[in-house]
Amino acid sequence: MRRLTRLIPIGACALSAALAVVAVPAAAQGDDEPGRPRLDAGADTNDWQAYYQYGLAHIRQWPDRATAAFYWATRLAPDRAEPMYARWVGTWISHRGMLVEYAQGTNADSPEARAVDSLQTLALLRNPFVHQGLERLFEAAVNDRKHGAGTWEWADSPETQGWVYYTEGKFDKSAAEFALALKEHPERTALHVYRARALVGVQKFDDAATELTTAIEEMRRHDRKRLVYWYDSKAMFEYSLGVLNVVRKDYPAAKAAYGRALEEDLTFYMAHAAIGGLALSQGDTTQAISAFEDALTVNPADPVVQHDLGVVLMSSGRAADAVEHLRAAVKLAPDFAKARYNLAVALDLAGRGPEAAEQYAAFIARAPRTFAAQADAARGRIAVLTAKTGGGG
């Protein structure tokens, strides 16, 4: 009997996310990929955060260089929202010719705009409450383009001040300013959404859910599918409300919100995956597997959902079935270290030693320093499997 007690799968993301059927820019799929930035000596080149921090440091002066760094951060961690969102901002700042028209909503549905916006959509589906503070750089670039750098300033209004505070991470002050703005304009759907995001920042989840529910009701009252952009859609807000309800431990309400997201948009397969994550958190692996499978039926091209289904199958004693989905995750995201590791574990459990050893080695080559324990375990398994192959076991 093989002992694999140290090889604990790197867990499934309970709320994995991906793109509702929208074209992804070629570079997001590995074609014409940007050059990999040279990090400072001593930086962990397998750690997405190293490239993300590099991008943040350079986005004001060199947005193209920053966007390349965000691309590589996403390559290393396709399950993280932060680098995908930052890449969206950097890409738009670099596309100054389209920027003003896009900000005004006049070309929001053009193929070019939708291709760039797929990055924002991915980010919000990974985490609908990822901090969107870099939007301030986006708006500044728009105003520079329209009025000239240094010739404008932020408006003095509760709405604008609330937004500025939000971009600075001053969420309590932001929520207070948006409350003042809503006293003047209670019908403004976007204000309720912004205040909900600020309230999440100070972990006032009940109040945030109330604001988001009000926004959805306003959109329903006016029969709006979205405000301007797809990622400001009713389906997205229902999904976001589901995430909030999970945090609030109101699981029936969360499941209902995910269901309404699917009613609004049948292509919103991440709602299926979210239902799977919810079922998994409640110990119902059968429903979790079914929900993840439903998500992949709509869109099999998301490496994170493929990974998560593989981990759930493996944890359910179905290692051979898990291999199929973990291989798909690795094919879609070759630098996704979690997927590499879990594929190796699944192959190991399935008795496919030589293939497992190969994937353990591939994982070690991609493992960030934060995965040191898994890397040590992988080296141990390679030694055991190699000895068996050579006749030593």
Side-chain angles (χ1 to χ4, degrees):
M1 175 70 72
R2 295 186 307 279
R3 295 190 62 193
L4 299 177
T5 54
R6 294 183 64 201
L7 300 182
I8 305 301
I10 301 175
C13 174
L15 289 172
S16 303
L19 178 65
V21 185
V22 180
V24 182
Q29 300 174 333
D31 298 329
D32 299 324
E33 64 186 21
R36 195 161 182 163
R38 186 182 298 275
L39 303 179
D40 293 338
D44 186 354
T45 56
N46 283 336
D47 190 338
W48 72 270
Q49 293 186 76
Y51 289 97
Y52 180 65
Q53 294 300 326
Y54 177 98
L56 293 180
H58 292 88
I59 190 169
R60 288 170 175 81
Q61 189 171 1
W62 296 298
D64 288 341
R65 187 181 301 180
T67 302
F70 297 140
Y71 166 83
W72 283 100
T74 301
R75 278 282 298 263
L76 295 170
D79 55 341
R80 299 297 307 199
E82 299 91 336
M84 189 67 74
Y85 166 75
R87 189 174 156 214
W88 173 75
V89 174
T91 302
W92 271 121
I93 292 175
S94 300
H95 284 67
R96 294 183 182 272
M98 297 171 56
L99 195 58
V100 174
E101 292 79 7
Y102 171 80
Q104 294 171 338
T106 56
N107 66 351
D109 282 324
S110 70
E112 296 82 3
R114 286 177 64 82
V116 179
D117 276 357
S118 68
L119 301 170
Q120 170 77 323
T121 302
L122 274 167
L124 293 179
L125 285 170
R126 297 286 185 232
N127 175 6
F129 296 103
V130 63
H131 183 224
Q132 300 181 55
L134 288 179
E135 186 181 351
R136 186 164 173 176
L137 297 182
F138 170 91
E139 295 292 344
V142 171
N143 286 324
D144 284 348
R145 185 78 176 178
K146 288 172 64 177
H147 309 295
T151 64
W152 58 273
E153 58 185 20
W154 302 118
D156 184 15
S157 68
E159 176 181 353
T160 301
Q161 192 58 58
W163 175 79
V164 169
Y165 280 140
Y166 171 81
T167 65
E168 295 173 347
K170 299 174 182 177
F171 301 120
D172 51 349
K173 292 182 177 181
S174 174
E177 291 292 335
F178 281 125
L180 293 175
L182 281 165
K183 286 183 179 180
E184 298 180 18
H185 304 287
E187 77 290 350
R188 291 277 306 283
T189 303
L191 293 177
H192 290 288
V193 175
Y194 273 119
R195 187 162 193 263
R197 291 170 180 163
L199 289 165
V200 168
V202 288
Q203 299 186 13
K204 294 183 178 179
F205 301 119
D206 290 347
D207 292 341
T210 298
E211 291 288 3
L212 202 51
T213 299
T214 300
I216 294 168
E217 290 173 348
E218 283 292 326
M219 294 181 76
R220 189 174 291 119
R221 185 175 300 117
H222 297 288
D223 196 27
R224 292 179 183 165
K225 281 286 185 181
R226 63 181 184 177
L227 300 181
V228 178
Y229 308 102
W230 190 92
Y231 48 78
D232 279 337
S233 69
K234 200 187 306 180
M236 177 64 80
F237 295 150
E238 289 284 13
Y239 168 71
S240 303
L241 182 59
V243 172
L244 271 179
N245 284 327
V246 169
V247 175
R248 298 173 61 236
K249 301 186 186 306
D250 190 344
Y251 302 124
K255 189 172 182 179
Y258 295 144
R260 290 193 300 271
L262 284 169
E263 290 173 4
E264 290 293 333
D265 185 351
L266 292 175
T267 70
F268 203 122
Y269 70 91
M270 195 50 234
H272 286 299
I275 291 170
L278 180 59
L280 185 62
S281 71
Q282 297 178 302
D284 189 344
T285 55
T286 299
Q287 185 182 10
I289 290 169
S290 177
F292 282 123
E293 288 175 340
D294 288 342
L296 291 174
T297 297
V298 180
N299 184 2
D302 181 349
V304 182
V305 179
Q306 290 281 9
H307 165 266
D308 289 357
L309 176 55
V311 171
V312 176
L313 288 167
M314 181 166 51
S315 300
S316 302
R318 296 171 57 183
D321 294 330
V323 167
E324 174 189 351
H325 294 285
L326 291 165
R327 277 202 190 283
V330 165
K331 184 176 181 179
L332 291 162
D335 296 317
F336 189 14
K338 288 182 185 179
R340 288 280 182 180
Y341 180 78
N342 287 323
L343 174 58
V345 174
L347 288 164
D348 205 343
L349 290 168
R352 296 160 67 173
E355 294 174 84
E358 180 182 347
Q359 290 301 326
Y360 281 130
F363 162 72
I364 291 169
R366 294 165 173 80
R369 293 168 189 162
T370 52
F371 288 3
Q374 289 84 1
D376 286 343
R379 292 186 187 94
R381 286 306 299 167
I382 289 173
V384 171
L385 294 169
T386 301
K388 287 183 178 180
T389 302

